[in-house]
Amino acid sequence: MPAAAKPDKATDVKSHILDTAQRLIAARGFSGVGLNEILAGASVPKGSFYYYFSSKEAFGRDLLEHYFSKYLTELDALLADENVPARSRLANYWRFWKNNQESEDPCGKCLAVKLGAEVSDISEDMRIALKNGTSAIIGRLSKVVKQGLADGSIKSTRNPYDLAETLYQLWLGASIMTKIARNPSPFDAAMAATDQMLSGN
């Protein structure tokens, strides 16, 4: 039997830097956190940054790809149980979203919400990473919408991808408005609108 592969130390260190950066940037934004602060938080020597990342923009792209990879794994687990009606699985996702956005823990904050407007105009690589990540989320939601149409828990004449995209955009907007208003009422409105759309109204 072949020996198990040893962990790649460079990959582990890079992931640790990205995990540390996610917590800081989710709280204060991409421009609000300096490289020295990230490296100090990760206990990595200052001179090591360019060993792992060719530039701050490349670091930002890798951060988003790392974030979405973890997020999609969590999303897949949340939506996986096909013994549960599709509409109920989607409701669980919206509650998960709301709870994360209302939490004080920056680890749960959505980087698409936090960084979408900030970096899309200043970094094409980061914009593409955001586009790819959000498109992957919408694709998974579309699959569940399609399952809901099949199991009867969702009533709609709309194309499943279009409906999933509209719902994701609705919740993205609600997240931003919740930050502006500093109260959860936009999420309550999003949930009501979601229920109407999934009922075909």
Side-chain angles (χ1 to χ4, degrees):
M1 184 173 181
K6 292 183 179 180
D8 183 334
K9 183 177 179 182
T11 300
D12 289 346
V13 172
K14 183 176 181 179
S15 293
H16 176 58
I17 294 171
L18 293 171
D19 287 336
T20 301
Q22 181 186 330
R23 291 192 295 273
L24 294 169
I25 289 171
R28 303 211 309 274
F30 190 72
S31 302
V33 179
L35 297 180
N36 288 342
E37 184 179 0
I38 293 168
L39 294 171
S43 299
V44 173
K46 292 181 181 179
S48 298
F49 178 82
Y50 291 105
Y51 175 79
Y52 298 104
F53 311 101
S54 60
S55 65
K56 189 174 181 184
E57 183 176 352
F59 155 76
R61 179 201 62 221
D62 288 356
L63 170 67
L64 287 166
E65 291 176 350
H66 181 72
Y67 164 76
F68 280 115
S69 176
K70 293 188 299 176
Y71 187 96
L72 290 167
T73 297
E74 197 166 8
L75 178 59
D76 286 341
L78 194 63
L79 299 177
D81 189 355
E82 295 186 17
N83 293 315
V84 176
R87 186 163 176 169
S88 296
R89 281 181 275 148
L90 287 175
N92 288 338
Y93 174 57
W94 308 130
R95 283 191 288 270
F96 163 80
W97 182 318
K98 180 176 184 289
N99 290 339
N100 275 354
Q101 287 303 111
E102 291 178 344
S103 169
E104 295 300 319
D105 180 6
C107 291
K109 300 298 184 184
C110 176
L111 289 189
V113 173
K114 188 69 178 181
L115 301 185
E118 180 187 356
V119 304
S120 292
D121 291 335
I122 62 174
S123 168
E124 183 66 4
D125 284 350
M126 293 180 72
R127 185 193 68 78
I128 290 171
L130 281 162
K131 181 181 178 183
N132 290 342
T134 55
S135 293
I137 294 169
I138 293 167
R140 278 144 168 96
L141 297 179
S142 172
K143 178 181 176 183
V144 180
V145 169
K146 189 173 182 180
Q147 291 169 349
L149 294 171
D151 69 25
S153 63
I154 294 173
K155 309 291 184 185
S156 178
T157 58
R158 295 183 61 181
N159 174 279
Y161 188 90
D162 290 345
L163 179 55
E165 185 176 49
T166 298
L167 290 171
Y168 183 78
Q169 291 169 349
L170 170 68
W171 281 82
L172 205 62
S175 297
I176 295 170
M177 291 307 300
T178 294
K179 290 166 69 69
I180 293 171
R182 294 196 183 280
N183 72 63
S185 60
F187 283 135
D188 296 334
M191 187 66 81
T194 297
D195 285 340
Q196 285 186 331
M197 281 188 270
L198 294 180
S199 298
N201 298 326

